[in-house]
């Protein structure tokens, strides 16, 4: 039985690592009952730590009425976690064979009709739904780290997914406070990861060749284009590079440089040397800050940006911006200060 998106009260999260745990924190903060299952023996402890670390940020965002960390249940088995699920979010390791068999197992354990979403970063659902008895309810709901702060979810089905399930999932994520892009076809890496991966490949090439340090690469984004991208995407910001002539002039002016050898795009060989250089570079850039310090710093940074760009309760909306230019579709929180489960913009 498929409950209407706004009527969902219980969410099941399978896999409780970085992303599964982030989903758990998000759904708890939005006032859902959350059941989690993860086969790792230390998973319950790690999950509680993750939720505890996320909670101060979620309080700042505005908890939904009745939201509580106590509404988390850790199930002893996958089957127990799914037995009365109203929605399932799978966030197990990114291994195709594992996803295939796990999704088949989830399908067998979950009440008929209930939608099952995978957090995969790039596998098409067509490739993952091959072993499930009912592939029609399996789809991708790709989040961004951390799912409790970054609004976007990319939703896309596979060849055997029912369009109604995709539509349902998009409405459900919106009701749960997410900003949704519903894709009408499968694209390797979806939209955002396709873009991020291009940048990431270039960064790895530059480190591998000793052309830039990890810190220079990070600074080049945080002190440069990243400031614009928080509220205006790469296309519109480049349109402004054309002055009054907009994108037309920008392309006429800078179009020829597209043919310049600025990018390599082929993935570099991720050998031991490059891996070690990236790890050492990140340690140097962290400058003594632990991962927990960086998580807290990132969370506060995202909240500050959301607030500064008018996307949080009590935030001053940007005066000249069109009403929908910066706000997440689906809305992460209400401007009157409350944020309730079931809200959608
Ligand atoms: N880390 C990231 O930034 C993002 C990751 N994703 C996707 O989310 C998924 C999970 O990735 P992470 O959370 O980063 O990995 P992770 O390694 O932090 O967590 C994976 C969790 O799955 C558990 N697990 C292992 N085998 C399992 C099984 N058979 N069934 C259920 N759980 C199992 C592990 O014990 C672990 O807690 C992947 O599909 C990944 O591509 C999506 C967006 C961003
Ligand atoms: C690193 N990653 C490819 C797993 C990242 C994502 O999938 C999305 C994100 O959080 O940027």
């Amino acid at each position: 039985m498929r409950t209407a998106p706004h009527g969902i009260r219980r969410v099941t999260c399978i896999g409780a690592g970085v992303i599964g745990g982030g989903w758990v924190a998000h759904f708890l903060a939005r006032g859902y009952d959350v059941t989690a299952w993860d086969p790792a023996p230390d998973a319950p402890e790690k999950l509680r730590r993750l939720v505890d670390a996320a909670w101060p940020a979620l309080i700042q965002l505005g908890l939904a009425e009745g939201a509580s960390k106590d509404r988390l249940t850790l199930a002893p088995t996958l089957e127990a976690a799914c037995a009365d699920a109203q929605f399932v979010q799978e966030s197990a390791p990114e291994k195709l064979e594992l996803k295939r068999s796990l999704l088949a197992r989830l399908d067998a354990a979950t009440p008929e009709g209930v939608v099952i979403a995978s957090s995969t970063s790039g596998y098409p659902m067509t490739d993952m739904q091959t072993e499930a008895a009912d592939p029609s309810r399996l789809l991708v709901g790709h989040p961004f780290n951390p799912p409790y702060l970054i609004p976007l979810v990319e939703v896309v089905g596979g060849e055997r997914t029912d369009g109604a399930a995709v539509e349902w999932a998009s409405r459900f994520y919106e009701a749960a406070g997410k900003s949704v892009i519903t894709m009408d076809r499968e694209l390797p890496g979806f939209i955002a990861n396709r873009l991020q991966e291009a940048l990431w490949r270039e960064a790895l090439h530059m480190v591998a060749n000793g052309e830039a340090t990890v810190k220079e690469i990070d600074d080049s984004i945080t002190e440069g284009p990243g400031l614009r991208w928080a509220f205006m995407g790469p296309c519109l910001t480049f349109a402004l590079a054309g002055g009054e002539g907009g994108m037309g002039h920008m392309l006429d002016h800078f179009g020829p440089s597209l043919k310049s050898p600025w990018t390599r795009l082929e993935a570099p060989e991720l050998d031991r040397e490059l891996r070690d250089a990236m790890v050492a570079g990140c340690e140097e850039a962290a400058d003594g800050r632990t991962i927990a310090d960086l998580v807290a710093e990132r969370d506060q940074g995202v909240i500050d940006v959301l607030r500064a760009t008018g996307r949080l309760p009590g935030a001053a909306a940007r005066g000249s911006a069109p009403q929908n230019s910066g706000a997440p579709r689906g809305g992460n929180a209400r401007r009157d200060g409350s944020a309730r489960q079931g809200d959608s913009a």
Side-chain angles (χ1 to χ4, degrees):
M1 238 286 282
R2 193 171 294 164
T3 307
H6 280 78
I8 296 296
R9 295 289 170 265
R10 284 189 309 282
V11 170
T12 289
C13 293
I14 298 295
V18 173
I19 291 302
W23 274 121
V24 166
H26 176 76
F27 288 125
L28 286 172
R30 301 298 299 187
Y32 293 92
D33 289 314
V34 179
T35 303
W37 177 77
D38 187 302
D42 61 346
E45 199 182 291
K46 274 170 98 172
L47 176 57
R48 301 255 184 227
R49 257 203 320 271
L50 192 153
V51 173
D52 284 345
W55 211 250
L58 291 163
I59 289 171
Q60 281 196 63
L61 283 181
L63 296 177
E65 214 174 290
S68 165
K69 290 192 276 184
D70 296 341
R71 291 173 69 180
L72 170 62
T73 305
L74 284 144
T77 62
L78 173 151
E79 285 69 23
C82 296
D84 66 350
Q86 293 182 315
F87 172 71
V88 178
Q89 182 78 41
E90 170 274 309
S91 309
E94 190 76 349
K95 292 182 187 149
L96 186 55
E97 285 309 322
L98 184 153
K99 296 273 195 199
R100 278 187 179 145
S101 56
L102 179 61
L103 287 169
R105 214 175 136 197
L106 292 175
D107 173 47
T110 303
E112 201 181 325
V114 167
V115 169
I116 301 169
S118 172
S119 295
T120 180
S121 295
Y123 292 134
M125 182 45 79
T126 297
D127 294 349
M128 295 192 293
Q129 65 191 169
T130 50
E131 293 173 16
D134 178 9
S136 72
R137 53 163 159 176
L138 303 181
L139 49 85
V140 170
H142 176 236
F144 290 78
N145 191 36
Y148 56 86
L149 287 185
I150 305 292
L152 183 61
V153 185
E154 293 169 314
V155 178
V156 61
E159 280 169 14
R160 298 168 72 199
T161 307
D162 180 4
V166 173
E167 176 64 20
W168 184 96
S170 296
R171 298 293 80 78
F172 165 69
Y173 283 126
E174 283 175 0
K178 304 301 287 184
S179 175
V180 177
I181 291 180
T182 308
M183 297 175 65
D184 65 1
R185 69 201 67 191
E186 292 182 290
L187 190 66
F190 319 120
I191 297 174
N193 270 358
R194 210 183 163 103
L195 294 166
Q196 289 202 107
E197 191 68 9
L199 193 127
W200 185 229
R201 287 179 180 187
E202 295 307 315
L204 291 178
H205 275 301
M206 286 192 275
V207 172
N209 296 330
E211 294 159 344
T213 65
V214 165
K215 184 168 183 325
E216 284 167 341
I217 289 167
D218 277 359
D219 287 351
S220 78
I221 296 299
T222 57
E223 297 296 309
L227 285 171
R228 306 186 295 225
W229 289 341
F231 56 89
M232 190 181 279
C235 301
L236 271 188
T237 53
F238 266 15
L240 301 185
E244 289 180 5
M247 182 51 89
H249 178 60
M250 144 73 192
L251 288 175
D252 297 341
H253 186 178
F254 298 106
S257 65
L258 280 174
K259 302 275 186 206
S260 306
W262 283 5
T263 52
R264 297 174 174 98
L265 287 179
E266 288 288 319
E269 193 55 43
L270 187 54
D271 54 18
R272 190 77 208 182
E273 201 183 337
L274 177 53
R275 185 187 180 281
D276 290 349
M278 289 305 297
V279 172
C282 284
E283 271 165 20
E284 199 181 326
D287 198 19
R289 290 167 296 177
T290 64
I291 293 287
D293 294 337
L294 291 169
V295 164
E297 204 175 298
R298 176 209 53 200
D299 284 6
Q300 191 56 54
V302 173
I303 289 175
D304 290 347
V305 168
L306 290 172
R307 182 167 286 133
T309 52
R311 286 180 271 183
L312 278 192
R318 281 163 294 129
S320 57
Q323 274 201 328
N324 64 352
S325 67
R329 279 166 288 168
N332 206 35
R334 300 189 329 175
R335 281 172 201 268
D336 64 5
S338 63
R340 291 188 307 117
Q341 174 187 324
D343 279 1
S344 74

